[in-house]
Amino acid sequence: MTEVPSIAPAHNFIRQIVMDDMNSGKHPMIRTRFPPEPNGYLHIGHAKSICLNFGLAAEFDGQCTLRFDDTNPSKEDIEYVEAIQADVRWLGFDWTELRHASDYFETFYLCAQKLIGDGHAYVCDLNADEVRSYRGTLTEAGRNSPHRERGIAENLDLFARMRAGEFADGARTLRAKIDMGSGNINLRDPAIYRIRKISHQNTGDAWCIYPMYDYAHGLSDAIEGITHSLCTLEFEDHRPLYDWYLAQIDLGNHAELVAPVLKSGLTAPVSTPRQIEFSRLNFDFTVMSKRKLLALVNDGLISGWNDPRMPTLTGIRRRGYPAAAIREMARRVGVTKQESVIEFSVLENCVRDDLDASAERRMAVIDPVKLVITNLVPGHEEFLSASNHPKDETRGQRKVPFAREIWIEREDFMEVPSKGFHRLVPGGEVRLRFVGIIKCVDVIKHEDGSIKELHGTLDLESRSGMPGADRKIKGTIHWVSALHAIAAEVRLYDRLFTVANPDDESDGKTYRDYLNPDSVRVVSAQLEPSLAAVEAEQRFQFERLGYFVADRLDHRPDKPVFNRVCTLRDSKK
């Protein structure tokens, strides 16, 4: 198995189960799997499952399979298959084997024939609405289908004709014969196969009947030798059905059923996996529903699945979130059975902690106004030494150009200062980072009254090495040399929704009503020239402004584009 990132083990009930199983000798090797359906892009909620499954396998020297549960071809696409693989690898993991549920379609079919032959399945002619009507409710038992007592021979014949394409879509289903009076509705004769005459992204047109997820999922786990099948809590009520299929089919004692998949190179022995449920990862100020995310994309409300405002892994990667911060977030959140909503600030703080240690510092001005230092001669130019990282001397230093004309942040000047404002004001002083103390002596305006430029003087005695270098002054601002600066597009991202729970429709509104109109603002910024040659996805702290990343798609040396990853502090608090 490919080496995975080091993840400090977080004690949780699933890890304890695995430890107990290993210590008792129940399993010679731990095998887990991450089984996404390729019907959309992975989102931040999936990160918890990825880290849990791959992390446990790594900790106990086991194996983890990436399996695509591709049993619903009407919603699946090869685009999603490729994107999921890229996202898992970006997150820092690799799989022992890459599998598809569709690799086992022939075995699934043989298993269904066995269920029919054992009297545990039948072909039903009820349509979808009729099936719902017969199923009953939480307080009312269901009714048997009029086709439930068909003979085995007739069922086998009809099932074979379903596979041959003789019947129309939805005309018939194969259903398990369990208990229409069960208190668990999932056990009321669930569908095993349905007719869908549609091409499949992996098997093409080889099949026109497709297995249901509940049926295929447990069999896939058993075929692959999975020991611990880790699912989110919504599958807890499905566990009795998961176990029922495994018990009735009994793959371990029917090698002939697995024979069709042995040629694909499976090496793990057939297992009887144990399904264990844990709470899913939910964040405030976002939606996780693939249906809603797809609607945002299809309706043009965001630019695509990789829009930096999206909670998809490809989106947050483009936003600039480090993979290590996602893994740390999963570790901090932990694994429990208690459903909860995590504050998005938990993730952002993990990002800040990572970037504070890893991101080099640079100066940039995102809302520039020019400041002319009048007591320096025209053409003045010098280069100052600046640390790349104040907490890591091994990062070395860089040369920062300084000239007579500089850019400063517009918000660092206030003509009529408010109480507590300690930056530049008319007649006031402020320290220029790395330079010395500057005094504002004039404000030049356009005809409409807006500020054209500022004029100031530099206290030469306050420069490094001079007697007044330690003179105390309130406020320090950053700057960029106007003579040397490079222009760049900077995208300032904020939360996509304005409320903590955009899924709440109790007042008649939908998540669309809560879209934040200010979730992105694009500005023309001025950057220090050392940022001209950076590569896409390089991250920096723009001093006093936040953490920024060179956009992985649009950034070019001749046209720099940076995204704000996050602010230096949680501005929402």
Side-chain angles (χ1 to χ4, degrees):
M1 183 172 179
T2 303
E3 184 178 355
V4 300
S6 175
I7 302 176
H11 189 78
N12 59 71
F13 76 99
I14 293 181
R15 182 171 177 266
Q16 186 62 52
I17 290 171
V18 172
M19 288 179 62
D20 291 344
D21 287 348
M22 291 295 289
N23 292 335
S24 69
K26 181 178 180 179
H27 301 294
M29 177 183 287
I30 294 300
R31 290 184 174 89
T32 60
R33 84 290 172 269
F34 175 61
E37 182 181 357
N39 63 350
Y41 282 69
L42 298 181
H43 54 64
I44 186 65
H46 292 108
K48 180 177 178 179
S49 180
I50 295 171
C51 292
L52 177 61
N53 279 285
F54 284 94
L56 281 173
E59 181 186 351
F60 293 98
D61 296 322
Q63 298 179 346
C64 186
T65 297
L66 174 62
R67 179 177 74 239
F68 292 102
D69 276 338
D70 52 351
T71 59
N72 188 7
S74 64
K75 295 184 178 180
E76 296 160 0
D77 195 284
I78 190 65
E79 173 191 354
Y80 302 137
V81 171
E82 294 171 351
I84 288 170
Q85 293 181 67
D87 286 342
V88 172
R89 284 197 169 112
W90 169 74
L91 203 52
F93 301 103
D94 207 348
W95 43 88
T96 308
E97 292 182 308
L98 177 64
R99 293 288 166 181
H100 306 76
S102 56
D103 296 339
Y104 317 134
F105 275 0
E106 190 64 40
T107 285
F108 294 162
Y109 183 79
L110 295 177
C111 291
Q113 286 184 317
K114 180 181 184 300
L115 287 174
I116 294 172
D118 293 342
H120 296 312
Y122 62 97
V123 174
C124 182
D125 298 353
L126 297 179
N127 63 36
D129 289 337
E130 291 169 333
V131 168
R132 278 190 290 271
S133 174
Y134 273 74
R135 183 173 292 133
T137 66
L138 291 173
T139 58
E140 181 181 311
R143 293 174 291 145
N144 287 347
S145 165
H147 314 290
R148 198 174 195 265
E149 300 308 321
R150 273 178 167 150
I152 290 175
E154 182 183 5
N155 281 318
L156 288 172
D157 174 66
L158 288 172
F159 188 47
R161 291 160 65 189
M162 286 172 60
R163 176 176 180 172
E166 185 174 329
F167 309 119
D169 279 16
R172 286 187 162 95
T173 57
L174 180 70
R175 297 174 65 182
K177 186 187 291 187
I178 307 179
D179 181 7
M180 291 301 294
S182 173
N184 186 336
I185 292 181
N186 295 302
L187 298 178
R188 295 181 185 178
D189 290 11
I192 300 176
Y193 269 91
R194 76 282 206 200
I195 302 171
R196 290 287 187 274
K197 294 181 179 178
I198 185 171
S199 183
H200 188 281
Q201 54 87 19
N202 192 41
T203 61
D205 297 319
W207 293 85
C208 64
I209 58 172
Y210 292 99
M212 302 300 289
Y213 176 85
D214 279 339
Y215 172 70
H217 184 72
L219 290 178
S220 298
D221 286 346
I223 291 168
E224 293 167 0
I226 302 304
T227 57
H228 299 81
S229 179
L230 310 180
C231 306
T232 45
L233 280 176
E234 63 264 34
F235 293 100
E236 189 169 28
D237 288 342
H238 296 248
R239 192 193 328 144
L241 181 58
Y242 178 98
D243 293 338
W244 187 88
Y245 283 132
L246 294 178
Q248 300 305 321
I249 294 169
D250 191 16
L251 281 176
N253 290 314
H254 293 276
E256 72 280 3
L257 300 177
V258 188
V261 299
L262 294 180
K263 60 184 179 182
S264 67
L266 279 173
T267 57
V270 169
S271 67
T272 302
R274 176 182 178 182
Q275 178 175 305
I276 309 170
E277 305 84 17
F278 61 94
S279 62
R280 62 190 302 168
L281 184 60
N282 299 301
F283 282 103
D284 61 6
F285 290 96
T286 191
V287 296
M288 298 291 195
S289 162
K290 285 185 180 179
R291 175 182 59 83
K292 293 178 180 179
L293 296 177
L294 180 61
L296 291 175
V297 174
N298 289 343
D299 296 344
L301 298 172
I302 42 87
S303 62
W305 289 100
N306 60 4
D307 189 300
R309 294 167 293 177
M310 287 280 273
T312 54
L313 292 183
T314 186
I316 63 176
R317 175 182 179 179
R318 189 176 177 190
R319 176 77 169 261
Y321 287 13
I326 308 303
R327 298 194 300 268
E328 173 61 16
M329 175 275 301
R331 190 190 69 82
R332 291 184 187 181
V333 168
V335 180
T336 70
K337 280 186 173 288
Q338 181 66 43
E339 289 284 18
S340 61
V341 177
I342 307 300
E343 291 186 3
F344 207 82
S345 59
V346 172
L347 173 57
E348 289 179 325
N349 286 335
C350 290
V351 172
R352 291 187 183 96
D353 289 346
D354 183 281
L355 294 182
D356 179 58
S358 63
E360 291 191 356
R361 276 48 168 173
R362 296 292 186 269
M363 290 200 294
V365 176
I366 61 175
D367 186 12
V369 62
K370 184 173 287 187
L371 171 62
V372 181
I373 305 174
T374 57
N375 64 331
L376 295 180
V377 299
H380 176 89
E381 180 184 45
E382 61 181 290
F383 292 86
L384 309 174
S385 292
S387 171
N388 285 324
H389 199 299
K391 301 177 182 179
D392 185 357
E393 293 182 359
T394 64
R395 301 291 187 95
Q397 296 194 332
R398 68 191 189 280
K399 293 297 183 181
V400 178
F402 173 63
R404 184 173 185 261
E405 296 183 358
I406 61 174
W407 297 110
I408 67 170
E409 291 289 350
R410 193 172 300 272
E411 69 172 19
D412 281 339
F413 172 79
M414 189 173 287
E415 193 168 9
V416 182
S418 59
K419 184 178 181 180
F421 186 79
H422 296 305
R423 283 164 280 173
L424 197 59
V425 299
E429 293 181 317
V430 72
R431 185 176 297 278
L432 286 183
R433 183 101 161 101
F434 306 123
V435 178
I437 297 172
I438 194 85
K439 180 178 182 179
C440 179
V441 297
D442 202 1
V443 181
I444 312 300
K445 297 185 177 182
H446 294 287
E447 290 184 1
D448 63 2
S450 61
I451 295 175
K452 179 181 180 181
E453 63 183 31
L454 306 172
H455 288 180
T457 57
L458 174 63
D459 179 2
L460 301 178
E461 291 295 308
S462 69
R463 305 208 63 187
S464 177
M466 299 300 290
D470 294 331
R471 180 159 69 91
K472 301 299 182 183
I473 192 79
K474 288 184 177 180
T476 299
I477 65 174
H478 65 281
W479 53 272
V480 173
S481 167
L483 178 64
H484 304 87
I486 60 170
E489 177 181 311
V490 171
R491 300 165 180 172
L492 304 174
Y493 289 103
D494 202 345
R495 290 170 176 169
L496 186 56
F497 296 97
T498 58
V499 297
N501 183 15
D503 285 319
D504 182 9
E505 300 181 0
S506 60
D507 59 357
K509 294 183 178 181
T510 72
Y511 67 101
R512 292 169 180 264
D513 296 307
Y514 301 119
L515 285 168
N516 180 7
D518 300 317
S519 58
V520 60
R521 183 165 59 94
V522 180
V523 299
S524 297
Q526 298 290 328
L527 316 181
E528 69 169 83
S530 65
L531 290 165
V534 305
E535 297 180 355
E537 295 196 88
Q538 278 190 266
R539 303 176 186 87
F540 299 90
Q541 183 193 108
F542 288 178
E543 295 198 18
R544 301 179 64 230
L545 299 177
Y547 296 102
F548 291 76
V549 65
D551 187 85
R552 67 186 299 245
L553 298 182
D554 298 335
H555 176 81
R556 302 195 310 267
D558 62 329
K559 188 182 178 182
V561 178
F562 285 84
N563 302 327
R564 182 170 65 189
V565 184
C566 61
T567 54
L568 293 178
R569 300 171 192 83
D570 184 0
S571 59
K572 304 298 181 184
K573 292 294 185 183

